[in-house]
Amino acid sequence: MSDYYWDSKIDYLSKTRWLYYNDDYLEFLIKSVWKITSPVRIIDFGCGYGYLGTKLLPLVPEESTYTGVDFGNKLIDHAEEVFKDTPYKTQFILGDIQEMDFEQNYDIVVCHAFLLHVENPKEILQRMIGCLINGGRIICFEPHWISTMANYYLDGYNTSELVQLGFLQKLFESDMKRSGKDGNIGIKVPVYLSQLGVKQIECRVSDRVNFLDPNSDTLKMDTLYTSLKEDGFGADPGVEETFISNLVQRGASYEEARNEYKVESLVSKVFKNDVFLTYAANLKITTGVIKR
């Protein structure tokens, strides 16, 4: 487990999760939409360092509990450190969700940007459902990459100069067919849940629109710029031949890969912390209730 990829990404996770939501929106969902008014037992599939726990526990009623499950031992260690001095009741379990058995003992099961990394999302959703008591709620925060890519505006450039939507849509679909892992899973979760027998299904989008404003507070904007770079926008595409070769292996034609290299090279050069940029991650938030 020491070589688990996400164990090396704690810094990335901590710098980018906040780009998706405003805290008051999560509070609105919990208190006004899902109406969680009594203590709940929460289990988080692919919990990472416990990000969702840090957001949900201050908002749900006292005496609620949070159990996080992840395959990364460094992630679990970090999560335990994050919650060490808090008043919340937490437990973290190291293990492979694909092979673990879970008791039907939870009021809420959640996942955050987890299903896109698995080859069998419907099977994982079934496992999540299996954790819940009658009347329990499943909540999935998952991306829809193609709508995310459509949600950038860099002042002074046409969006078509920076993002090849048609090509990327085909590339993401090709990736899914090849690997089973689906970066567009967020838009499909409502369908999958219905097919698995979940009731009262609703889907929303994350609310935050990030605005990089050179006329605003410098420290605040530097933090946002760093997080956006960490999230991948404006990243250096690296050596051209290697970049093109990788995309061709993923199903792109040579010309498509070459054009994408030009686009990403342009973005890496023009995206600086003194430009105007708006960006919305547009994650899909799907929930439903289990009726047994």
Side-chain angles (χ1 to χ4, degrees), residues 177-188:
K177 290 177 182 177
R178 186 184 69 256
S179 70
K181 299 178 181 180
D182 190 357
N184 291 317
I185 187 73
I187 203 70
K188 303 173 185 179

Side-chain angles (χ1 to χ4, degrees), residues 109 115 120-130 132 138 140 185 188-201 286 288-292:
V109 59
L115 295 176
N120 54 339
K122 286 186 76 171
E123 291 179 25
I124 296 298
L125 286 169
Q126 187 68 73
R127 283 179 172 270
M128 294 175 70
I129 292 167
L132 294 170
I138 183 171
C140 302
I185 187 73
K188 303 173 185 179
V189 171
V191 176
Y192 292 167
L193 290 184
S194 181
Q195 291 171 344
L196 292 170
V198 178
K199 306 300 181 184
Q200 300 177 33
I201 298 167
T286 304
V289 176
I290 309 307
K291 299 293 186 183
R292 303 195 189 281

Side-chain angles (χ1 to χ4, degrees), residues 79-93:
E80 290 176 340
E81 187 67 24
V82 166
F83 286 93
K84 182 178 64 174
D85 296 321
T86 71
Y88 305 118
K89 297 179 180 180
T90 61
Q91 177 188 18
F92 294 95
I93 302 171

Side-chain angles (χ1 to χ4, degrees), residues 93-251:
I93 302 171
L94 177 66
D96 186 348
I97 288 167
Q98 303 273 7
E99 300 177 357
M100 298 171 68
D101 293 320
F102 299 93
E103 294 184 6
Q104 198 176 100
N105 196 36
Y106 296 92
D107 305 288
I108 295 176
V109 59
V110 298
C111 66
H112 187 280
F114 173 64
L115 295 176
L116 81 159
H117 297 298
V118 301
E119 300 174 3
N120 54 339
K122 286 186 76 171
E123 291 179 25
I124 296 298
L125 286 169
Q126 187 68 73
R127 283 179 172 270
M128 294 175 70
I129 292 167
C131 291
L132 294 170
I133 63 170
N134 184 38
R137 180 180 294 276
I138 183 171
I139 307 172
C140 302
F141 301 78
E142 293 290 336
H144 179 220
W145 277 351
I146 199 63
S147 64
T148 298
M149 298 308 298
N151 276 294
Y152 287 99
Y153 170 66
L154 182 60
D155 185 48
Y157 294 87
N158 294 319
T159 303
S160 58
E161 296 178 77
L162 308 177
V163 181
Q164 298 188 93
L165 280 179
F167 164 70
L168 291 173
Q169 187 171 23
K170 289 194 299 180
L171 185 67
F172 297 155
E173 290 169 352
S174 173
D175 285 343
M176 188 274 290
K177 290 177 182 177
R178 186 184 69 256
S179 70
K181 299 178 181 180
D182 190 357
N184 291 317
I185 187 73
I187 203 70
K188 303 173 185 179
V189 171
V191 176
Y192 292 167
L193 290 184
S194 181
Q195 291 171 344
L196 292 170
V198 178
K199 306 300 181 184
Q200 300 177 33
I201 298 167
E202 298 178 348
C203 188
R204 294 172 176 254
V205 296
S206 57
D207 72 313
R208 188 178 183 91
V209 180
N210 298 286
F211 178 34
L212 188 63
D213 180 6
N215 294 325
S216 187
D217 175 77
T218 301
L219 180 59
K220 181 179 177 182
M221 289 303 102
D222 283 346
T223 300
L224 176 56
Y225 173 76
T226 300
S227 294
L228 290 167
K229 289 277 284 190
E230 191 75 30
D231 208 36
F233 189 78
D236 184 350
V239 178
E240 182 174 3
E241 289 183 6
T242 303
F243 181 93
I244 291 174
S245 176
N246 288 338
L247 282 190
V248 169
Q249 290 178 21
R250 291 169 60 186

Side-chain angles (χ1 to χ4, degrees), residues 65-78:
T65 65
Y66 173 82
T67 299
V69 185
D70 204 282
F71 190 68
N73 57 352
K74 292 182 181 178
L75 286 166
I76 291 295
D77 288 346
H78 190 68

Side-chain angles (χ1 to χ4, degrees), residues 8-24:
S8 66
K9 292 294 181 178
I10 294 174
D11 189 53
Y12 156 76
L13 293 171
S14 64
K15 286 181 178 177
T16 58
R17 303 302 89 175
W18 70 279
L19 296 171
Y20 306 150
Y21 319 97
N22 292 300
D23 289 347
D24 56 359

